[in-house]
Amino acid sequence: MAGRYGRPRSFLRMRSLAGQVFLLQVAIVVLLVAASVTALVLQSRADNEREARNRSVAVAETFANAPGMEAALQSPDPTAVLQPKAEAARKGSGVDFIVVMNLDAVRYTHPLPDRIGKKFVGEVGPALDGRVVTEKVHGTIGPLVQAVVPVFGANREVVGMVSAGITIKSVSGVTESQFPLLFGTAGGVLLLTMGGTALVTRRLKRQTRGLGPTEMTRMYEHHDAVLHAVREGVVIVGGDGRLLLANDEARRLLGLPLDIEGARVTDLGLDPVITTLLTSGRSATDEVHSVGDRLLAVSQRATDRNGGPPGSVTTLRDTTELQALSGKAAMARGRLKLLYDAGTEIGTTLDVMRTCEELSDFATARFADYATVDVAEEVLRGEEPTAAGAAIHGLRRTAFSGSRGDTGLSPLGAVIRFLPDTDIGAALLRGEAVLDPDLTTRSGWQQPDPANADHIVDGGFHSLIAVPMRARGVVLGVAMFWRARMPEPFEDEDLSVAEELVARAAVSIDNARRYSREHNVAVTLQRSLLPRGLPEQSAIDAAYRYLPAQAGLGGLGGVGGDWFDIIPLPGARVALVVGDVVGHGLHAAATMGRLRTAVHNFSTLDLPPDELLWHLDELVARIDLDESADGSEGGGVTGATCLYAIYDPASGRCTMARAGHLQPVVVSPGGEAAFADVPGGPPLGLGGMPFETYDVHLPPNSRLVLYTDGLVEERHRDIDEGLELLRETLADHPERTPGETCEAVLRVLVPARARDDVALLVGRTLRLDPENVAEWDVPSDPSAVARVRSDVSRKLAEWELVEEAFTTELILSELVTNSIRYATGPIRVRLIRDRTLICEVSDRSSTSPHLRQAASMDEGGRGLFLVAQLAERWGTRYTDDGGKVIWTEQPLQPGADGPA
């Protein structure tokens, strides 16, 4: 059998009452059957022995009294006469042997011929005396009974003896044949008894739940102990209205004596309501009834629902203390709920004034009728708050909330002062909250404005709580809560709630103050790093827009790492730059300033875009390495991107390269917009990959649009959708100016509150007038220098720049002479009239001249020095074909500026 919890249990170890009854009945049946079998076996043995004795005597007497027995004994050979007859008689009678012997007990016959003539084994004395003798012996063939009878002669004398014997086994077959019937009957009785016992056992098992007598006794004792030990009254009433049981708690709650079992409920003298409930037998669940000075929660159920005896059971619980605790718990839950809601509704933005308004609005909605918040001037400016004394002397009313405006309270913007010689002022100086449950006592709150105080009291204000807003040990301001419409004054519990409420708001206000300060510093830094305006140049007509991320969206709005630049280059060219540093805040703004400065410095070297980005990448890698070694927070600059483009208005050629940045958009003069296929490079600082350039010829009035990812990336829009929307916005509007293009793009792509910085730069390409450009090919012959001077003089005369002719001739003479002397290949001179007069001498040599100070005895070395003195700027740039261009710029006289 399986025991409890799935463990096997021995059949002989049943502990339940039903199991024990079953085992008892089985044992009785088995004992009865065993006794019957034993009696039958004993009876069978006695009957077998008696039957053997009777059969042996009968056979022996019959053979002894057979006719001719005496004659055969007296014949010369008795064996020959008697042996055949004896064997025939033995086989016919079923005995085991018939032995005829003489008076000396010598055998004449025997089933075994070799035994004839031998002495008979057995008692023969009584037979010689003429009596019959029987005995039980153990022979060679097993236990047997043999009889010896005398053979009488004619004169009644004994003339011989006859013995017949039979084994008990030979006569036991009849009795043993009765055993199957006996055992079958016993088995049937046993099965019938077990079936009846099983039925009785099942019934007992249902009624006793499988428990044994010891367990039932222990269970009763435990139930009785638990029943009288629980803190819940139990009353059982029978169907006749008599009390069957009442535990100790029920007696205590109802005031019952000890010996009341059996009494009628109506005679107990209980409260009529309780008496009616107990006698009705109806169902009840947690009905609260007043019994004396106690509140009892009563539940009642009938006991005859599942076949049980008629009656009812009633439970009583004392809820007097529970009611008081429930009220306190409800108040605690309400307080926690209020503080939790305050955490979600106050401080939702990093704005000091907005946080103060949220505090006052929340207080009037959940806690008070009116609320005011007064904050120190320094806090409003984002500065570090001063000591408590200075703070309470000059506070600015920042928030006011209430149902009426004509209350007499100071309006928004008013300066509030708390006098230190009043109770409220002294408490606020110590950083303690003040509770004034009765404003009519004039405890000091009215001293700053006594006239207004009368108006406030007349308006129904009767209670006040003032709590200083403290953060990091200093007072930021004071929050005041007033009650007018609520009749209940503020209590100590309300004071604790107000302190918790203001403490949470103070943290948010201090965070907002610190954010405002850092935000202002960061914005100031960023604005100082971004371009203040467009430089003067004649290559493009440009417009730009820069939109910072909005404050509150990510906590660092207004400060980012996006930048742009327009850098004039020698030869009337211009460089357009757009970059982006990942992240926001001071670190991003400072990094942006470093990269922008680096781009300006590298651009003075007049490097091609791919080389400039390579140098910038090296610089960022070194910055990252330095900051990693320093262990400073904020990380390096990895993640910055940049796009650098150079446009030449003389040829219309634009060369671009990008480092992880988005591709620019080129809009043709007819309005077709397409993304320039600039080869992509890794972001700055990663290294290991070269940058490639992309050359494109831009007709006049083409537009080149550079931007950062904040323009096309949006939280609810895929970047590919943003890029396509940008292209569609730029297309089919050739009449727009660069400024109108910027406005149209921002209007379509940028939401009201951008989550990332947006930098947009639009440049409309211009071309230099061919009349303002002059070019000459110069042979490698020193005599050609004079002809160049003559051609330049004539061109300057055409341009009405006669005053610059002498200086220009001197500069070109030195530059051309150097190229003829030191360079190889064709030499070309180009003169450009722009905002300055630009002279360019190009050759196929990659060697750049060096400026040096010639000694007094040197024959040469002063030419380039003179060029540097005469020109405003000069420099060298290298060309794609391996050559170089030496250029100079000369300022033009006022009124001599050439047309753009």
Side-chain angles (χ1 to χ4, degrees):
M1 296 179 62
R4 190 172 300 176
Y5 310 115
R7 294 191 295 268
R9 186 171 60 184
S10 173
F11 182 80
L12 298 177
R13 292 185 178 181
M14 290 187 178
R15 301 184 62 186
S16 66
L17 180 60
Q20 292 178 3
V21 171
F22 173 74
L23 290 179
L24 177 62
Q25 292 182 355
V26 171
I28 292 174
V29 172
V30 171
L31 289 175
L32 291 176
V33 172
S36 300
V37 171
T38 302
L40 181 60
V41 170
L42 294 176
Q43 181 66 33
S44 174
R45 288 181 179 180
D47 291 344
N48 290 340
E49 188 174 345
R50 184 168 54 251
E51 176 65 21
R53 184 178 294 109
N54 291 337
R55 185 181 297 186
S56 62
V57 170
V59 172
E61 287 182 345
T62 301
F63 195 82
N65 293 326
M69 187 64 180
E70 181 179 2
L73 289 174
Q74 295 175 356
S75 63
D77 191 2
T79 300
V81 178
L82 295 176
Q83 177 68 13
K85 294 180 180 180
E87 284 301 304
R90 179 183 66 80
K91 295 177 180 179
S93 62
V95 296
D96 291 303
F97 66 87
I98 296 177
V99 177
V100 180
M101 57 190 138
N102 58 18
L103 296 177
D104 294 327
V106 177
R107 301 185 185 104
Y108 289 140
T109 63
H110 196 277
L112 300 176
D114 60 341
R115 304 286 179 92
I116 298 174
K118 295 181 179 181
K119 191 97 170 161
F120 177 75
V121 180
E123 182 67 32
V124 296
L128 293 175
D129 294 336
R131 300 192 304 273
V132 177
V133 58
T134 61
E135 61 179 339
K136 182 179 180 182
V137 298
H138 290 276
T140 58
I141 59 175
L144 55 85
V145 176
Q146 62 184 9
V148 181
V149 300
V151 178
F152 294 99
N155 56 0
R156 301 299 297 171
E157 291 181 357
V158 177
V159 294
M161 295 175 288
V162 176
S163 175
I166 186 172
T167 59
I168 296 175
K169 180 180 179 181
S170 300
V171 297
S172 64
V174 176
T175 303
E176 290 178 356
S177 65
Q178 297 178 0
F179 281 168
L181 178 61
L182 176 63
F183 285 118
T185 303
V189 174
L190 182 60
L191 291 176
L192 182 62
T193 304
M194 291 177 65
T197 304
L199 295 177
V200 175
T201 299
R202 182 177 297 178
R203 178 67 177 176
L204 288 174
K205 204 168 187 179
R206 284 200 305 266
Q207 293 182 352
T208 62
R209 308 289 184 181
L211 301 176
T214 304
E215 293 172 332
M216 293 183 65
T217 302
R218 186 180 299 112
M219 181 183 69
Y220 174 78
E221 294 173 351
H222 288 174
H223 285 188
D224 187 68
V226 171
L227 183 67
H228 292 285
V230 295
R231 292 293 303 275
E232 186 168 336
V234 179
V235 177
I236 301 178
V237 179
D240 56 355
R242 294 182 180 274
L243 184 66
L244 301 181
L245 183 144
N247 67 348
D248 294 343
E249 183 68 8
R251 294 191 185 99
R252 185 182 71 85
L253 295 176
L254 299 178
L256 300 176
L258 293 178
D259 299 328
I260 57 169
E261 281 78 4
R264 290 189 173 276
V265 176
T266 54
D267 299 335
L268 299 178
L270 300 176
D271 185 90
V273 177
I274 298 296
T275 302
T276 302
L277 177 62
L278 294 177
T279 56
S280 66
R282 66 179 178 85
S283 297
T285 303
D286 289 338
E287 293 184 2
V288 179
H289 297 281
S290 176
V291 178
D293 57 348
R294 299 183 178 276
L295 290 176
L296 301 183
V298 183
S299 298
Q300 183 170 276
R301 293 292 184 272
T303 58
D304 57 356
R305 292 183 300 172
N306 298 321
S312 62
V313 58
T314 306
T315 59
L316 311 169
R317 286 184 292 111
D318 189 358
T319 62
T320 306
E321 298 178 357
L322 184 61
Q323 292 289 337
L325 292 176
S326 298
K328 295 180 180 179
M331 293 178 60
R333 284 195 301 270
R335 178 179 178 182
L336 290 176
K337 181 67 167 56
L338 184 142
L339 295 177
Y340 173 79
D341 293 341
T344 59
E345 298 181 24
I346 299 175
T348 59
T349 63
L350 290 172
D351 183 84
V352 174
M353 297 187 66
R354 180 56 189 158
T355 303
C356 295
E357 292 171 357
E358 290 173 347
L359 171 61
S360 63
D361 293 341
F362 181 85
T364 54
R366 306 281 295 274
F367 181 67
D369 295 325
Y370 295 89
T372 60
V373 181
D374 309 321
V375 181
E377 293 281 358
E378 297 89 343
V379 176
L380 293 176
R381 293 193 299 266
E383 300 174 2
E384 192 72 21
T386 58
I392 67 170
H393 287 165
L395 303 177
R396 181 73 62 181
R397 178 139 297 176
T398 309
F400 175 90
S401 182
S403 58
R404 294 186 293 114
D406 56 342
T407 58
L409 299 176
S410 300
L412 288 174
V415 177
I416 308 300
R417 291 181 173 84
F418 296 93
L419 302 180
D421 56 349
T422 62
D423 294 340
I424 185 172
L428 294 178
L429 276 175
R430 296 190 301 270
E432 300 174 358
V434 176
L435 168 63
D436 191 345
D438 187 4
L439 297 182
T440 59
T441 59
R442 304 295 202 277
S443 59
W445 63 271
Q446 78 287 352
Q447 290 190 11
D449 194 349
N452 251 352
D454 296 336
H455 183 56
I456 291 173
V457 174
D458 295 340
F461 287 77
H462 59 80
S463 186
L464 162 69
I465 290 179
V467 183
M469 292 188 295
R470 298 173 57 88
R472 296 181 297 108
V474 295
V475 176
L476 307 178
V478 177
M480 304 181 70
F481 308 101
W482 312 74
R483 279 187 178 174
R485 292 182 293 107
M486 296 183 186
E488 303 85 3
F490 285 119
E491 300 176 350
D492 292 337
E493 289 290 336
D494 300 320
L495 180 62
S496 300
V497 173
E499 290 177 333
E500 290 279 354
L501 193 63
V502 174
R504 298 193 177 201
V507 173
S508 298
I509 291 175
D510 188 57
N511 290 338
R513 177 200 63 78
R514 298 173 66 183
Y515 168 79
S516 298
R517 180 188 62 188
E518 296 178 3
H519 178 262
N520 292 335
V521 172
V523 168
T524 302
L525 172 63
Q526 185 187 38
R527 289 177 179 174
S528 66
L529 296 176
L530 288 174
R532 301 293 181 89
L534 297 178
E536 294 184 356
Q537 44 82 32
S538 303
I540 60 171
D541 179 15
Y544 67 91
R545 295 293 185 272
Y546 176 80
L547 296 180
Q550 294 298 312
L553 301 178
L556 293 168
V559 181
D562 293 8
W563 92 92
F564 63 93
D565 253 320
I566 299 177
I567 305 173
L569 297 178
R573 296 169 304 141
V574 67
L576 305 179
V577 190
V578 169
D580 185 4
V581 176
V582 176
H584 297 85
L586 285 175
H587 183 267
T591 302
M592 176 269 290
R594 297 167 75 178
L595 295 183
R596 180 170 177 256
T597 302
V599 170
H600 271 271
N601 292 334
F602 290 142
S603 66
T604 59
L605 301 177
D606 210 351
L607 299 173
D610 55 341
E611 293 187 23
L612 184 141
L613 291 181
W614 183 83
H615 286 288
L616 194 63
D617 180 72
E618 288 289 318
L619 174 64
V620 171
R622 287 196 301 271
I623 293 175
D624 287 339
L625 186 62
D626 293 342
E627 293 191 356
S628 299
D630 184 46
S632 58
E633 296 183 0
V637 196
T638 302
T641 64
C642 182
L643 173 64
Y644 189 83
I646 297 177
Y647 173 68
D648 187 352
S651 62
R653 179 189 178 190
C654 182
T655 305
M656 294 177 278
R658 64 188 179 105
H661 205 82
L662 295 174
Q663 293 177 334
V665 181
V666 176
V667 183
S668 68
E672 297 179 359
F675 290 99
D677 192 15
V678 183
L684 298 175
L686 297 183
M689 293 291 291
F691 299 98
E692 300 181 23
T693 58
Y694 173 76
D695 290 333
V696 62
H697 182 78
L698 299 180
N701 293 322
S702 298
R703 274 163 294 167
L704 184 62
V705 181
L706 284 67
Y707 55 92
T708 58
D709 57 358
L711 180 68
V712 293
E713 281 188 332
E714 175 59 26
R715 184 176 182 181
H716 304 291
R717 183 181 62 204
D718 188 72
I719 187 171
D720 292 334
E721 297 178 6
L723 292 172
E724 180 60 23
L725 185 59
L726 172 62
R727 191 195 64 79
E728 293 176 355
T729 305
L730 294 173
D732 300 330
H733 294 284
E735 75 285 352
R736 287 176 178 169
T737 64
E740 293 172 346
T741 302
C742 290
E743 294 298 330
V745 169
L746 296 180
R747 184 169 56 251
V748 174
L749 276 82
V750 180
R753 295 179 65 83
R755 292 181 175 271
D756 195 6
D757 296 3
V758 176
L760 176 63
L761 179 60
V762 178
R764 183 172 62 88
T765 60
L766 304 176
R767 294 293 291 273
L768 294 178
D769 191 340
E771 294 295 330
N772 293 322
V773 179
E775 294 182 285
W776 300 273
D777 290 327
V778 181
S780 297
D781 185 359
S783 62
V785 177
R787 188 166 57 253
V788 170
R789 287 200 300 267
S790 301
D791 294 338
V792 169
S793 298
R794 284 194 299 271
K795 179 55 68 174
L796 292 179
E798 293 178 7
W799 289 345
E800 298 180 356
L801 298 176
V802 178
E803 295 183 1
E804 283 77 17
F806 176 77
T807 303
T808 304
E809 290 178 10
L810 183 58
I811 292 174
L812 286 177
S813 296
E814 290 296 331
L815 296 180
V816 172
T817 300
N818 282 338
S819 295
I820 293 174
R821 179 178 300 177
Y822 301 109
T824 60
I827 300 173
R828 191 172 184 81
V829 174
R830 185 169 71 167
L831 199 62
I832 301 174
R833 183 180 64 164
D834 192 38
R835 300 179 184 274
T836 60
L837 183 60
I838 302 171
C839 299
E840 295 181 348
V841 177
S842 61
D843 54 45
R844 291 297 182 87
S845 174
S846 61
T847 303
S848 176
H850 297 283
L851 180 65
R852 66 187 182 89
Q853 183 73 37
S856 58
M857 302 299 294
D858 290 344
E859 296 182 0
R862 298 179 178 83
L864 197 58
F865 177 78
L866 292 176
V867 171
Q869 297 297 318
L870 296 174
E872 184 179 40
R873 291 196 309 159
W874 74 279
T876 304
R877 69 174 182 271
Y878 296 95
T879 59
D880 297 337
D881 56 3
K884 68 176 183 299
V885 176
I886 303 177
W887 57 269
T888 63
E889 289 185 2
Q890 301 168 242
L892 298 179
Q893 297 296 327
D897 293 347

